[in-house]
Amino acid sequence: METTEVESELSLFKYGNLEALPSRYRDLSEKERNQRIAAARAELGDDVLVLGHNYQRREVVEHADEIGDSYQLSEYAAASDAEHVIFCGVTFMAESADLLTDDDQTVYLPSMEASCPMAGMAEALQVDSAWQHITDAVDGDVIPITYMNSYADLKAFCAEHGGLVCTSSNADAAFEWALSRGDAVCFLPDKHLGWNTANAMGLGSQTVEFDPWADEADGEVADADVVLWNGYCQVHERFTAEHVAEARESHPNATVVVHPECRPEVVEAADVTGSTATIRETVTDADPGEAIIVGTEIHLVNHLDRWHDDVDVYPLCGDACMDCNAMRQVDPNYLTWILESLVAGEEHNSVRVDDGVAASAKVALDRMLDL
């Protein structure tokens, strides 16, 4: 079964009916779609907030009230009084927005097929079954940390086992917090962010990967300070150190900025490493005529090139760069459907985290905020 099919079934299991886009919305021209979106937004006014993740295509983000990374957009949702929050992102992002917004606000995901494959590599049920093995192998207390790019029930699992959530910007602080309370960290789901954080903190030699699909766990887990779950972002794992070398040969004076979900050798070869917010700031702060080579999802690279005419922005791996298949599921026609449905008093694809899961997941988020 393809990853998108698996993720679609997960969304169906969690949030009910997986509704197909009505046929009348499937062949809209861009002009007609833009007119209908504008009309629906005018009708709804301040009752609706549209959020667009950095990795969404131009045809989506041009209709967004705010554009940013996943947690940043959830904060925008929480600060808003809008009754309806349309999150043009992926499932875990809509969940996070639901966790942070008030009970009288409803979060919608335009397409329930938009689920992050990396989040799907560490579902709470699977982690729970592996947890006893990990904790038995490690001599001491293990504190779990989950990356923001995970489902709400995994965030809840981490809270219930003394852990917390982190973003790509505060992973080092989360590691320090966990190691001050336990003997080892189990970080999931992104092993590359975990490796890059451990290396920056001088913990690389005490770090091992744990493969939940292997018949036997690596024996070195017993002596590790950091245990990394074997998950990754399919877009960022595609980048290689060779891509960096080739980019520098083509643009010798360029600054190379990459996301910390990239492989450690790519991060080591880059000039700047940081979240999508850091990547945006790097381009924004560049001098006119400066060249910036960006290692992240291709739609953000294209946005930056379009938003900054005076800076030369290049994708790290040229034409071989990938878009995010999960983000691609949020077709702008889905946005049109959700908006016009709200005008008609209908709700589709709402995301509501179970109350019990939400309570624990919020604990994990609060621990991160307390850092």
Side-chain angles (χ1 to χ4, degrees):
M1 185 179 290
E2 295 292 330
T3 300
T4 52
E5 292 178 298
V6 173
E7 296 299 330
S8 296
E9 289 189 2
L10 177 65
S11 294
L12 174 62
F13 173 75
K14 285 187 173 183
Y15 303 113
N17 185 30
L18 189 65
E19 298 183 66
L21 182 70
S23 58
R24 64 184 182 275
Y25 285 95
R26 295 177 187 173
D27 298 316
L28 299 178
S29 67
E30 183 169 0
K31 180 179 180 180
E32 180 183 5
R33 183 175 62 229
N34 288 346
Q35 291 173 340
R36 291 172 64 168
I37 288 175
R41 300 221 52 191
E43 182 76 17
L44 293 166
D46 293 337
D47 288 339
V48 69
L49 174 71
V50 178
L51 304 174
H53 191 270
N54 287 315
Y55 295 160
Q56 284 293 340
R57 68 189 84 178
R58 173 190 61 80
E59 295 89 345
V60 172
V61 298
E62 66 185 5
H63 297 293
D65 296 299
E66 301 287 353
I67 304 168
D69 61 30
S70 59
Y71 188 65
Q72 182 182 37
L73 292 177
S74 292
E75 290 183 308
Y76 285 135
S80 169
D81 295 325
E83 179 183 353
H84 306 290
V85 177
I86 303 177
F87 205 127
C88 298
V90 295
T91 311
F92 79 80
M93 299 178 185
E95 286 186 336
S96 296
D98 180 59
L99 292 174
L100 294 177
T101 50
D102 294 333
D103 291 341
D104 59 356
Q105 294 177 286
T106 303
V107 178
Y108 307 87
L109 188 66
S111 171
M112 285 295 190
E113 294 188 72
S115 291
C116 172
M118 179 170 68
M121 292 178 187
E123 295 180 28
L125 186 64
Q126 181 189 30
V127 175
D128 185 56
S129 66
W131 186 246
Q132 190 66 50
H133 189 99
I134 295 171
T135 53
D136 285 348
V138 174
D139 184 18
D141 294 329
V142 183
I143 306 297
I145 302 174
T146 185
Y147 188 22
M148 186 64 69
N149 299 25
S150 59
Y151 294 119
D153 51 5
L154 183 55
K155 294 179 174 71
F157 174 92
C158 287
E160 292 160 3
H161 290 79
L164 77 168
V165 179
C166 75
T167 68
S168 59
S169 300
N170 63 22
D172 54 348
F175 273 46
E176 290 176 358
W177 181 94
L179 289 171
S180 72
R181 287 160 174 76
D183 302 288
V185 168
C186 178
F187 182 75
L188 26 75
D190 184 11
K191 64 181 180 181
H192 294 317
L193 176 58
W195 271 115
N196 291 322
T197 303
N199 288 338
M201 297 176 66
L203 297 172
S205 61
Q206 291 86 47
T207 299
V208 298
E209 292 181 24
F210 174 80
D211 187 350
W213 296 276
D215 292 333
E216 295 182 4
D218 191 330
E220 295 179 355
V221 167
D223 301 318
D225 290 333
V226 180
V227 179
L228 305 178
W229 192 266
N230 190 23
Y232 55 88
C233 170
Q234 295 171 317
V235 171
H236 289 107
E237 192 178 58
R238 186 179 182 88
F239 297 115
T240 66
E242 288 72 23
H243 287 137
V244 179
E246 292 167 1
R248 291 195 186 282
E249 184 175 348
S250 300
H251 308 283
N253 298 318
T255 297
V256 178
V257 54
V258 302
H259 197 280
E261 292 174 17
C262 293
R263 298 169 184 266
E265 57 268 27
V266 174
V267 167
E268 184 177 355
D271 300 305
V272 180
T273 302
S275 65
T276 54
T278 297
I279 291 172
R280 288 182 60 170
E281 289 168 6
T282 300
V283 176
T284 300
D285 295 342
D287 295 328
E290 187 175 350
I292 308 291
I293 298 168
V294 180
T296 193
E297 203 270 353
I298 191 61
H299 283 115
L300 177 54
V301 183
N302 291 338
H303 296 331
L304 292 171
D305 186 45
R306 188 172 63 253
W307 295 338
H308 301 279
D309 291 337
D310 59 340
V311 179
D312 297 323
V313 180
Y314 302 99
L316 178 56
C317 57
D319 293 337
C321 287
M322 293 175 60
D323 64 347
C324 173
N325 182 61
M327 291 286 181
R328 191 191 312 151
Q329 305 309 312
V330 181
D331 185 283
N333 289 343
Y334 275 92
L335 176 59
T336 312
W337 172 49
I338 297 297
L339 284 166
E340 291 190 338
S341 295
L342 291 174
V343 171
E346 302 170 358
E347 296 185 359
H348 302 282
N349 294 350
S350 61
V351 173
R352 181 74 70 181
V353 178
D354 174 82
D355 288 344
V357 171
S360 293
K362 287 178 181 177
V363 171
L365 286 167
D366 286 343
R367 287 173 181 165
M368 178 187 75
L369 294 175
D370 288 343
L371 293 178

